[in-house]
Amino acid sequence: MQRISVDGVPVLLHPAPGPLSASLRFHAGIAFADLRTHQVPHLLEHIVIGALPKVRHEVNGTTDDSTLSFEVVGTPDEVRDTLHEICAAIHDLPLGRLDHEAGVVGAEDAGADLSVPGDHATMRFGPNGAGLVGVETVPASETTAEQVETFAKRLLVRGNAVLALTGSLPDGLRLDLPEGPRAEIRTRRRRDLLLPALIRRDHDAVSMSFDGPAGPSAWMVTGLLMERLEESLRHQRGITYAIDNGHLELGEGRIMRVIGTGTTHRHATAIAQEMLDELRDLADRGPSQEELAQQCEDLARTLRDERAAEDFLHAQADRLLAGEDPLTPEEMLAEAKAVSPESIRLTAREALRTTLLFVPDDEGAEDDRRKAVLGIPDRSFEGNEDEGEAGGTTYSRRLLRRVPRDLRVVIGDEAVSQRYWGVSSRFAWEDIVGIEIEDGTYELFRWDGRSTVIDPRDLRRGDELVERILARAGHLTYRSASDLESSEDAGQAG
C-alpha cells in the first residue's frame, strides 16, 4: 500500500482486481449529526450524486455511522472526471435538489431496517453521537437547506477527507475541496444505564454488545466468540444458523462491538446464556494458543485474498480519518500475532463490565422461558424515576379532559417538566434534542432518549404553553411521518 497526497488530501493506493475503483471518504457519518439533523449525511450523499451528469460507469454513495463516501468505478479518465465533478458539487451544493432527494431518501428509509449495532448504541447513549445510528424519528423532508449546507461546510472539507484507490493515480487528478480540519466523533455522554444488563425486546434475534478500546484484541475477542458460538450453537446443539457481528466507532479510540443471531423464542434464553458464558470463559481462562494461532491464520488468509483487497483499503482509509495511521497487511498481521492470552483476558473482562444483551420477549411464554440470564440483571421493566418539577409557570389540566388528575406542566427559564400519574419528567432546555409534532401534540426528546408528550388540549392556556415552548426550542421542531402522510392524503383528497 502506498500513501501520497493530492491537493492536501491523503490518498491511499492499494492494488485490487478489476477496474479502477475510487472511494472519496469523509469522517462525516450519522454520528456527526444530532437528532434534528441525523438525515443530513444521507441527504448530502444523494444531493451530490444526483447532481452529477449521467454516465455509464458506476457511481454511488454510501453513509454509515462514521463515514460518508462517494464511490466511482471505471477507467482512469472516468474516475478522474467524476471525482472532479463531485468536488465541484461539494463546493457549490445543488440545494435545489433537496426536496426531490428527501423524497428518495424517505422511500429508501421506508424499506430499510435499523441495524442491530444501531439499536444497541441508542440504548447505551440515547439519540446522540453513535446512538443516532439507531434512530428513525425525523423524516428526511423535515431537513432544511441551511442544515445541509452547515453540515457540509463543517465536514466535507480537505482535512476531513481521504481518497482510496485500487490502482495508480489517474493523470491530472485534482481534489479541489474546501479548506477545513479533521473532525472527531464525540458521543456526548452515556445514558444512566447500569451495565451489565439484559433487555427483552420485541424482535426475533439475540444480540450482545460491549465496548472498549479499539485494536487487535477487540476484534480477536469477537472472532473467538463467533468461532465458539458457531461450534456450540450450530454444530453441537443445532439451535441457530449464522452468527453475525458488527461494530460502531464511538470516538476517542473506542468502539462498540455486537454479536447476534436470529432464533426462535424457545431458544432465546439458552443462546443468550451461551454468549455470556463464552465471554466469561475468555475473561477467566483466556483463549488457547491454538485458538489464537487460528485467528491469525484466518486473518492471513483474508489478507492474501485479492477479493478482500478493496475492503482492506477502505478500512485503512477509515483509520486515517479517525486519526490513526493506516496499516499495511504485514503490520496488521504482526499486530495480531503480538496479541497474548492475557490481553484477550483483559479485553474480555472489560467487555463483561459493559455487556448489554437483547433477548426476544415472548409475553405468552412460560416463566422458565422468561427467566433472567444468569448473572445479568434484567432491566427490561425498570420504570422512569421521578425527576422533580421545573420552577416557573404552572399549566394545570382542564377539568373535562380524560387525563390523570395530577397532570400539570411547569415551564421556566431552565427547564420544562410534566407530571403524569405521580411521576415528573424534567427536561432542561439544553438537553432537549428534538420536538416532534403529531396530531396537535408535542413530544419532547432528551439526549438520553427519554421523552414526554405534551397535549395542549389537555391543559388550561395550552396555546400559551406551546408559544413559550416554541420560543425557546422552535428550531428543534419537526412534523412526524404520520402527520406528513395525513397532510399529503388530505391534499390529494382535496
Side-chain angles (χ1 to χ4, degrees):
M1 185 173 63
Q2 183 184 6
R3 177 176 173 179
I4 60 175
S5 177
V6 174
D7 295 326
V9 176
V11 178
L12 298 182
L13 307 171
H14 186 65
L20 181 64
S21 174
S23 179
L24 181 58
R25 307 174 74 80
F26 297 89
H27 214 207
I30 299 168
F32 289 92
D34 55 39
L35 177 66
R36 185 62 185 82
T37 63
H38 84 276
Q39 293 276 20
V40 168
H42 196 182
L43 279 167
L44 261 172
E45 168 209 322
H46 278 257
I47 288 169
V48 171
I49 294 295
L52 302 180
K54 303 302 179 186
V55 294
R56 305 301 296 179
H57 60 278
E58 181 181 341
V59 182
N60 200 3
T62 59
T63 303
D64 61 22
D65 59 308
S66 60
T67 307
L68 190 165
S69 64
F70 300 101
E71 321 290 338
V72 187
V73 180
T75 67
D77 287 348
E78 289 170 338
V79 168
R80 177 199 61 216
D81 293 345
T82 301
L83 287 174
H84 289 174
E85 289 157 355
I86 288 171
C87 291
I90 290 171
H91 262 290
D92 186 16
L93 284 174
L95 293 173
R97 299 189 58 84
L98 177 58
D99 289 345
H100 172 81
E101 299 300 343
V104 175
V105 168
E108 186 178 345
D109 288 346
D113 293 325
L114 293 177
S115 70
V116 173
D119 203 15
H120 276 261
T122 300
M123 178 61 69
R124 289 171 175 272
F125 305 110
N128 82 104
L132 288 167
V133 179
V135 168
E136 59 176 347
T137 307
V138 183
S141 57
E142 291 293 275
T143 304
T144 68
E146 181 181 4
Q147 290 166 340
V148 173
E149 189 171 34
T150 298
F151 189 92
K153 286 182 177 179
R154 179 168 66 95
L155 295 168
L156 300 195
V157 295
R158 193 184 310 274
N160 201 39
V162 173
L163 177 65
L165 283 169
T166 62
S168 300
L169 193 73
D171 291 338
L173 177 65
R174 301 295 308 276
L175 295 173
D176 183 18
L177 291 168
E179 292 292 339
R182 186 178 69 84
E184 292 187 13
I185 293 175
R186 296 203 178 277
T187 302
R188 203 163 44 139
R189 41 190 163 170
R190 294 174 179 267
R191 289 184 59 223
D192 187 18
L193 176 66
L194 295 176
L195 296 174
L198 179 149
I199 305 291
R200 297 192 180 275
R201 306 295 294 271
D202 183 20
H203 53 46
D204 294 322
V206 178
S207 55
M208 176 174 69
S209 67
F210 43 86
D211 72 74
S217 290
W219 68 257
M220 270 200 175
V221 165
T222 304
L224 289 163
L225 283 172
M226 290 182 66
E227 288 277 352
R228 291 183 175 194
L229 292 171
E230 184 172 340
E231 176 63 26
S232 63
L233 297 175
R234 179 181 177 183
H235 298 299
Q236 293 181 11
R237 302 173 65 180
I239 59 176
T240 192
Y241 178 64
I243 311 293
D244 202 0
N245 78 99
H247 71 276
L248 291 179
E249 183 184 340
L250 302 179
E252 300 178 339
R254 296 182 69 85
I255 60 170
M256 183 191 74
R257 302 197 70 91
V258 180
I259 295 174
T261 182
T263 184
T264 62
H265 287 200
R266 183 162 61 94
H267 297 303
T269 299
I271 291 173
Q273 186 68 68
E274 188 76 12
M275 287 181 172
L276 185 59
D277 288 347
E278 291 293 358
L279 181 57
R280 283 177 175 151
D281 187 73
L282 283 176
D284 292 340
R285 299 194 302 170
S288 67
Q289 290 291 352
E290 291 77 13
E291 285 181 302
L292 283 182
Q294 187 60 58
Q295 289 289 308
C296 292
E297 176 54 34
D298 290 345
L299 174 62
R301 183 180 294 109
T302 299
L303 294 173
R304 291 193 300 266
D305 190 342
E306 289 186 337
R307 296 169 297 179
E310 189 171 352
D311 289 339
F312 168 80
L313 176 62
H314 292 175
Q316 300 317 306
D318 290 346
R319 280 180 62 93
L320 197 52
L321 288 174
E324 303 176 69
D325 288 331
L327 300 174
T328 65
E330 294 77 16
E331 289 170 334
M332 180 175 283
L333 188 57
E335 277 196 353
K337 290 180 177 179
V339 173
S340 67
E342 178 61 21
S343 65
I344 293 293
R345 281 196 293 269
L346 292 173
T347 300
R349 287 170 192 167
E350 180 163 4
L352 274 174
R353 291 193 294 270
T354 63
T355 291
L356 178 62
L357 271 167
F358 284 172
V359 181
D361 184 25
D362 187 352
E363 294 181 359
E366 299 147 0
D367 288 342
D368 63 341
R369 280 166 52 194
R370 290 174 57 84
K371 65 182 179 181
V373 176
L374 296 178
I376 293 288
D378 189 335
R379 306 192 189 281
S380 308
F381 309 106
E382 293 184 358
N384 290 326
E385 297 181 358
D386 190 295
E387 298 176 325
E389 293 186 286
T393 305
T394 298
Y395 296 82
S396 56
R397 74 180 184 96
R398 289 182 173 173
L399 295 179
L400 299 182
R401 299 290 288 185
R402 293 185 177 180
V403 293
R405 295 178 64 85
D406 66 343
L407 172 67
R408 62 177 175 268
V409 174
V410 182
I411 187 169
D413 293 335
E414 303 296 327
V416 57
S417 66
Q418 179 165 230
R419 187 163 186 81
Y420 201 93
W421 291 121
V423 177
S424 294
S425 299
R426 186 179 187 279
F427 290 66
W429 294 112
E430 64 183 4
D431 289 339
I432 297 174
V433 293
I435 301 176
E436 182 177 84
I437 302 172
E438 181 173 2
D439 191 26
T441 67
Y442 295 78
E443 183 168 10
L444 280 58
F445 289 91
R446 201 165 62 188
W447 71 269
D448 61 358
R450 188 166 181 177
S451 69
T452 189
V453 179
I454 296 175
D455 189 338
R457 294 164 295 195
D458 293 337
L459 300 159
R460 295 175 179 177
R461 309 189 334 269
D463 291 343
E464 175 188 306
L465 170 64
V466 170
E467 288 179 5
R468 293 188 63 183
I469 290 175
L470 297 182
R472 287 299 303 261
H475 63 291
L476 297 175
T477 61
Y478 58 90
R479 296 175 65 189
S480 70
S482 60
D483 240 28
L484 294 171
E485 290 173 3
S486 298
S487 297
E488 292 176 3
D489 293 342
Q492 292 172 1

